[in-house]
Amino acid sequence: MYPAHMEESIRKVEATRERRLKESLLRLGDEQKTPLLQRYHPDYVAGKMRQLALGPNKGDYTPDEVADLLEGNSCLDPDKIDLGRVDYDVDVLVIGGGGAGATAALLAQENGAKVLLTTKLRLGDCNTVGAQAGTQAADRPNDSLAIHYLDTMGGGHFANVPELVEALVKDAPMVIKWLGTLGVNWDKMADGTMHELSGGGASRLRLHSARDYTGLEEMRVLRDEIRNRKIDYLEFSPAVELLMDDKGQVCGAVLVNLETNELTMVRAKSVVMATGGMGRLHIQGFPTTNHYGATADGLVLAYRVGAQLIFMDTMQYHPTGAAYPMQILGQLVTEKVRSLGAQLVNVDGEQFIMPLEPRDVVAAAIIRECQERQKGVKTPAGQVGVWLDSPMIDMLRGEGTVARELPAMVRQFGRFNIDIAREPMLIYPTLHYQNGGIKINTEGATTVPGLFAAGECEGGVHGSNRLIGNSTLDIFVFGRRAGRAAANWSKEVKSGSLTLEHVRCWQKDLERAGLSKLRPVSPLLLPDYARPIPDYLPDYSAQALTAHRIKLT
Amino acid sequence: MAESARMVDIHVMGKHYQVPEGLTIMTALEYCGYRLIRGCGCRAGFCGACATIYNFKNDHQLRYDLACQKTVEQDMYLVQIPFFPAAKAFYSLEEIEATGEQVLSLYPDLVKCFGCNTCTKTCPQKLEVMWYMSDALRGDIRQVSAKSFDCVMCGLCAARCPQGLVPYNVALLCRRLYGRYLAPVSRHLEDRIAEIEAGRFDDDLEKLKKMDVRELRRLYAGREIEPAN
Ligand SMILES: Cc1cc2nc3c(=O)[nH]c(=O)nc-3n(C[C@H](O)[C@H](O)[C@H](O)COP(=O)(O)OP(=O)(O)OC[C@H]3O[C@@H](n4cnc5c(N)ncnc54)[C@H](O)[C@@H]3O)c2cc1C
Ligand code: SF4
Ligand code: SF4
Ligand code: FES
């Protein structure tokens, strides 16, 4: 049910639908894409990025919100921490309990390591559970690793690290099989053929899905397997600093109990960083699809021990975040809706972009349609958006397709009396994915010895724009590789004695860069949505509170 | 939030607050000033972290939902369920069988289900929980998988089951058994893995990796695009 003025626009969408069923817009060439991106994509908005003042990527541009945290100060006072007291002594510490972390933990254990996994919220509270559309792997006869490679490079504007893309596409079919063996229910036909969908920027049908609960299905299974294999894990215990040894190797981490502020010291021969993305930094004020704990912590921790980052100037804005109703503002409307045939249309019911262009291109086109051309639809809450014409799906593929293929979407909109099989959805771009991250090699090793990284917190695989289905692939491919490599590293390495000297050095560097005073304390851990407290009360909320509380310990 | 928004009265653990209408239970809690640690995950209806029980001032019937998805209503009394201890069987998937006897031996308490349907009435995903539990009892693993597929493991059904059963863990076992043992094998996937292991794509990838960007761009622009299915 939409307000009257929106219903009016829907009538126009309905009026053009018959014609549009047969209308297909052409894909844009490079000469059209480049100016579109440069004028309308948020990555190119002047004045919203700045150069980092210190650290391994000094001089590189990154959004202000990210720079604030990367240039932040530690919440620990190295002089007050007793490094003689070690609570856990393990081979591999995995930081992050999403898809990449769970995978790394399983593989590290399989390779003989004693593993501890620690995570910020519950095991499996992460971006992985939100993944709806699917996971790519070139396993159909008319597809090949080369085509998957080409699609991925093209989607990433050819900036991707070639060796990483090679690893990604090469491991993909094996990863799909591995997950199946663990009991993931892939959508299949009766004869076992995978039911695969097309996705933006992919030139073959290559998306393996589990209804529109793909990531949830993957994560439920991995979480259960971690439990079955009795791998130790800690919840509500985010890492707030890495530990090093006197030989410059990463050697564990300091964790904080989010509820009691107690510190836990973990000594580990190697660490796998798997902390996911940063949507909750709300870059440029965009809403986000990300989970509550997506605050770039892993980048901050890795950066402070000297790990290089890569592609930190590019974020992914998913073209289709919900713009109405307000209760689900910014939440993901899966790309699968477009894969199944829904078009994007403006207030007059006209198409303006081929719906399966890469994400950055579609997002830029929607922003242009709403901002410059003023062809968006305004909601009562003041949000603008364009229509995603979902009723086309049943017309194209038969009655019942929407209900069968998109149960999560049907449920989400059904709560607000919107039947997406009959009515379109109003959408606008939303902050979705961190394209860049910690620089890794094909085994997940970072530029700092003893530190490995996997999943959304690492960068290079996707260049400056990720394709749908390549991230849930990335987390398994590199989660497996990093887990294995970390286990092997732990067998060989001779660790020295623990130190927080790097924190002292960082604080000196801050001072030298003229940044020592009034730095935000990082990592952020959680965003602050609690209503601001009036001025006359002490600032007990949010970041101030986190900083304050952790400082106490 | 416009100043003029209409306010609704809610009660959080018995304490009264006024919040603007149109917020979800989760954002209403934050509006009241709560900073959430427990009971908040994906904020989008997928992770099951935010299970909530509520009723109304003049209607004491308990209702259940996800705080991140449900909009607040006038006179709601809210309780969040941040954690519920639930039994889980431990098993090694490769060493067990996809049979009803196996499910029953791992979850023998299944026989205690007396079909009260409380679980179904509790489920915020509106799943037929009682029916899949009776399918599990009959050993119909396939049906359990299909009916339970959209479970976000919020724990509400287990929290309310008078017999202390944990439907979502039974369902997870059945889905894993189905996925591994009963779902049809994908030949094309096996074939592709064999081809990769035989090195069939190595030369192509080597060439592409070394190719200069201009040439890659040309290939990309000219690539054939399979129509959507
Ligand atoms: C709504 C949504 C839909 C998506 N759909 C798709 C899709 O269809 N296909 C696709 O391929 N990709 C999709 N993606 C992207 C993909 O799901 C994610 O990029 C990927 O799952 C990230 O996995 P991860 O393990 O790296 O991170 P996450 O799954 O986010 O896990 C990170 C974990 O680290 C924890 N953590 C964070 N900081 C700390 C700390 N300081 N200490 C300890 N733990 C910490 C977090 O709490 C979390 O548990 C989607 C993403 C979203 C948000
Ligand atoms: S079946 Fe139980 S755990 Fe699953 S969604 Fe329903 S109430 Fe929650
Ligand atoms: S609530 Fe428990 S006893 Fe009642 S039907 Fe559900 S599983 Fe059976
Ligand atoms: S917070 Fe994940 S379901 Fe509500």
Side-chain angles (χ1 to χ4, degrees):
Chain A
M1 244 215 319
Y2 288 99
H5 77 281
M6 293 175 76
E7 285 288 347
E8 240 171 76
S9 173
I10 292 180
R11 295 289 95 76
K12 294 183 188 162
V13 173
E14 287 166 348
T16 56
R17 198 173 280 144
E18 275 303 323
R19 162 166 66 74
R20 282 185 292 105
L21 282 172
K22 281 171 250 128
E23 170 189 281
S24 58
L25 297 189
L26 292 178
R27 282 176 198 255
L28 303 181
D30 271 351
E31 61 304 338
Q32 293 156 301
K33 273 186 204 162
T34 311
L36 177 63
L37 288 172
Q38 285 176 353
R39 284 198 54 189
Y40 300 101
H41 195 278
D43 278 354
Y44 297 88
V45 176
K48 303 289 186 192
M49 300 240 184
R50 72 166 190 260
Q51 285 175 295
L52 287 165
L54 75 165
N57 289 69
K58 184 173 169 179
D60 287 1
Y61 280 91
T62 194
D64 288 335
E65 296 85 349
V66 181
D68 284 347
L69 296 177
L70 288 179
E71 295 169 349
N73 200 349
S74 176
C75 62
L76 300 178
D77 179 348
D79 293 333
K80 291 193 185 147
I81 305 284
D82 175 9
L83 292 172
R85 189 205 91 198
V86 169
D87 300 295
Y88 289 87
D89 202 340
V90 295
D91 297 325
V92 176
L93 170 67
V94 177
I95 303 178
T103 304
L106 290 172
L107 266 284
Q109 194 206 39
E110 268 171 36
N111 284 275
K114 183 175 172 210
V115 180
L116 175 68
L117 182 150
T118 193
T119 193
K120 182 154 47 182
L121 300 168
R122 300 176 313 166
L123 182 61
D125 284 344
C126 60
N127 279 350
T128 303
V129 286
Q132 299 167 26
T135 302
Q136 288 206 36
D139 60 1
R140 289 170 63 247
N142 73 341
D143 202 353
S144 78
L145 304 195
I147 305 175
H148 189 182
Y149 181 96
L150 197 59
D151 285 344
T152 303
M153 293 297 288
H157 303 294
F158 305 95
N160 324 43
V161 178
E163 289 70 29
L164 297 181
V165 181
E166 180 188 32
L168 182 83
V169 302
K170 217 168 167 173
D171 285 6
M174 181 272 292
V175 154
I176 298 291
K177 179 172 172 175
W178 177 67
L179 290 168
T181 313
L182 286 172
V184 165
N185 290 232
W186 297 117
D187 290 344
K188 291 179 183 178
M189 328 266 194
D191 68 351
T193 308
M194 293 276 180
H195 176 55
E196 297 181 40
L197 291 168
S198 54
S203 64
R204 292 290 184 280
L205 310 181
R206 195 186 289 137
L207 277 179
H208 299 67
S209 52
R211 299 195 189 168
D212 55 353
Y213 285 108
T214 309
L216 174 68
E217 168 67 351
E218 293 165 339
M219 192 69 233
R220 288 188 298 217
V221 164
L222 291 173
R223 179 171 51 202
D224 196 46
E225 191 62 12
I226 295 258
R227 288 178 180 155
N228 279 347
R229 292 209 210 155
K230 307 254 162 60
I231 293 177
D232 270 341
Y233 64 91
L234 302 173
E235 299 182 313
F236 299 97
S237 301
V240 289
E241 208 66 65
L242 289 172
L243 290 167
M244 297 192 83
D245 69 5
D246 49 3
K247 301 177 186 169
Q249 306 176 121
V250 168
C251 252
V254 183
L255 321 178
V256 66
N257 180 324
L258 270 183
E259 290 167 314
T260 65
N261 298 323
E262 191 189 357
L263 293 185
T264 300
M265 311 293 278
V266 183
R267 196 215 318 262
K269 297 196 175 101
S270 62
V271 171
V272 180
M273 195 62 85
T275 50
M278 58 159 75
R280 292 284 153 191
L281 302 187
H282 296 290
I283 313 285
Q284 294 183 35
F286 272 85
T288 185
T289 60
N290 283 194
H291 82 111
Y292 189 43
T295 52
D297 299 357
L299 301 186
V300 171
L301 301 186
Y303 200 62
R304 279 217 277 268
V305 295
Q308 263 190 353
L309 309 181
I310 182 171
F311 295 115
M312 286 311 299
D313 56 348
T314 138
M315 298 297 140
Q316 182 165 86
Y317 296 82
H318 196 291
T320 60
Y324 182 89
M326 177 182 92
Q327 287 91 335
I328 54 170
L329 180 67
Q331 285 177 26
L332 184 67
V333 175
T334 172
E335 182 166 322
K336 194 168 168 187
V337 180
R338 280 174 288 143
S339 300
L340 290 167
Q343 295 168 347
L344 289 162
V345 293
N346 65 19
V347 67
D348 300 325
E350 298 299 338
Q351 280 203 84
F352 54 89
I353 185 80
M354 147 61 193
L356 292 178
E357 289 279 11
R359 289 187 171 165
D360 50 355
V361 174
V362 181
I366 295 169
I367 293 172
R368 177 179 65 189
E369 203 64 14
C370 292
Q371 308 299 339
E372 187 194 77
R373 296 180 179 166
Q374 298 283 319
K375 292 278 188 189
V377 178
K378 204 166 196 162
T379 72
Q383 182 69 39
V384 278
V386 295
W387 297 111
L388 179 60
D389 197 11
S390 47
M392 297 180 64
I393 295 172
D394 279 4
M395 295 169 87
L396 287 165
R397 292 164 182 269
E399 208 51 33
T401 310
V402 168
R404 190 178 61 248
E405 299 279 342
L406 298 165
M409 289 289 96
V410 169
R411 193 174 270 124
Q412 207 155 31
F413 282 81
R415 284 173 169 277
F416 306 100
N417 294 320
I418 296 170
D419 174 2
I420 65 168
R422 306 268 162 272
E423 301 158 291
M425 296 173 255
L426 197 76
I427 57 88
Y428 194 76
T430 176
L431 180 57
H432 187 53
Y433 186 76
Q434 159 197 310
N435 290 315
I438 306 164
K439 189 174 168 187
I440 54 165
N441 70 10
T442 53
E443 299 313 303
T446 69
T447 54
V448 179
L451 181 63
F452 299 78
E456 190 166 343
C457 70
E458 102 319 76
V461 182
H462 310 288
S464 57
N465 176 56
R466 169 184 69 96
L467 294 190
I468 183 175
N470 266 353
S471 176
T472 49
L473 175 58
D474 173 348
I475 64 181
F476 304 121
V477 168
F478 291 98
R480 288 175 58 90
R481 285 171 176 248
R484 193 168 40 216
N488 291 338
W489 168 273
S490 300
K491 287 176 198 151
E492 309 280 314
V493 67
K494 297 268 173 297
S495 302
S497 51
L498 292 180
T499 150
L500 277 169
E501 200 47 39
H502 58 286
V503 174
R504 292 195 185 88
C505 291
W506 181 260
Q507 287 166 340
K508 281 192 203 113
D509 284 352
L510 281 174
E511 229 166 286
R512 239 176 271 132
L515 291 175
S516 64
K517 296 238 162 60
L518 296 174
R519 286 281 80 207
V521 169
S522 61
L524 181 60
L525 303 183
L526 291 174
D528 172 20
Y529 298 135
R531 188 159 62 127
I533 308 222
D535 287 349
Y536 53 85
L537 287 177
D539 184 4
Y540 281 137
S541 73
Q543 202 181 344
L545 184 58
T546 321
H548 180 64
R549 290 196 314 184
I550 296 173
K551 270 240 170 83
L552 282 180
T553 53
Chain B
M1 191 55 54
E3 284 305 315
S4 59
R6 227 189 64 184
M7 304 299 272
V8 293
D9 296 278
I10 61 167
H11 299 260
V12 180
M13 307 270 187
K15 191 161 171 49
H16 174 242
Y17 294 92
Q18 283 201 317
V19 301
E21 80 178 338
L23 300 184
T24 60
I25 292 174
M26 183 171 285
T27 49
L29 290 173
E30 289 169 335
Y31 182 88
C32 295
Y34 287 88
R35 186 167 190 262
L36 306 177
I37 293 177
R38 294 268 171 179
C40 177
C42 65
R43 302 178 73 101
F46 286 88
C47 75
C50 61
T52 299
I53 298 185
Y54 66 93
N55 63 8
F56 293 95
K57 200 167 166 187
N58 296 317
D59 176 356
H60 301 294
Q61 162 102 49
L62 293 180
R63 295 162 170 89
Y64 314 89
D65 217 323
L66 299 172
C68 68
Q69 297 297 294
K70 175 72 187 165
T71 308
V72 286
E73 291 167 25
Q74 178 65 29
D75 290 335
M76 257 183 176
Y77 276 71
L78 298 165
V79 184
Q80 281 200 286
I81 308 282
F83 173 78
F84 187 79
K88 176 190 143 40
F90 295 91
Y91 49 87
S92 161
L93 195 65
E94 57 267 28
E95 287 163 18
I96 60 176
E97 283 172 22
T99 61
E101 294 77 55
Q102 183 76 71
V103 174
L104 206 56
S105 78
L106 286 166
Y107 287 104
D109 283 353
L110 260 179
V111 297
K112 292 192 195 153
C113 171
F114 57 76
C116 67
N117 210 28
T118 308
C119 47
T120 302
K121 283 190 243 157
T122 312
C123 179
Q125 293 289 86
K126 306 224 177 339
L127 304 180
E128 297 284 1
V129 188
M130 182 188 73
W131 288 123
Y132 80 57
M133 287 297 271
S134 73
D135 291 332
L137 194 54
R138 282 187 294 107
D140 192 341
I141 293 174
R142 186 195 160 87
Q143 277 300 320
V144 182
S145 307
K147 287 184 189 147
S148 72
F149 201 84
D150 301 356
C151 169
V152 294
M153 302 184 78
C154 69
L156 278 168
C157 53
R160 294 290 291 154
C161 174
Q163 298 294 70
L165 304 182
V166 187
Y168 61 89
N169 276 340
V170 174
L172 178 61
L173 167 66
C174 291
R175 284 194 307 272
R176 291 191 68 185
L177 286 171
Y178 183 79
R180 175 163 178 146
Y181 294 111
L182 304 178
V185 175
S186 304
R187 271 289 12 128
H188 63 103
L189 177 64
E190 304 289 333
D191 294 348
R192 180 53 46 88
I193 291 171
E195 286 174 339
I196 294 171
E197 279 164 2
R200 218 203 93 191
F201 301 99
D202 292 356
D203 291 348
D204 286 357
L205 285 174
E206 216 41 56
K207 226 169 48 207
L208 284 170
K209 271 196 312 178
K210 298 214 178 85
M211 197 173 277
D212 82 33
V213 172
R214 230 186 287 125
E215 182 64 11
L216 262 184
R217 276 183 195 279
R218 205 185 50 74
L219 269 184
Y220 180 73
R223 79 206 197 286
E224 190 189 313
I225 294 177
E226 181 178 14
N229 45 354

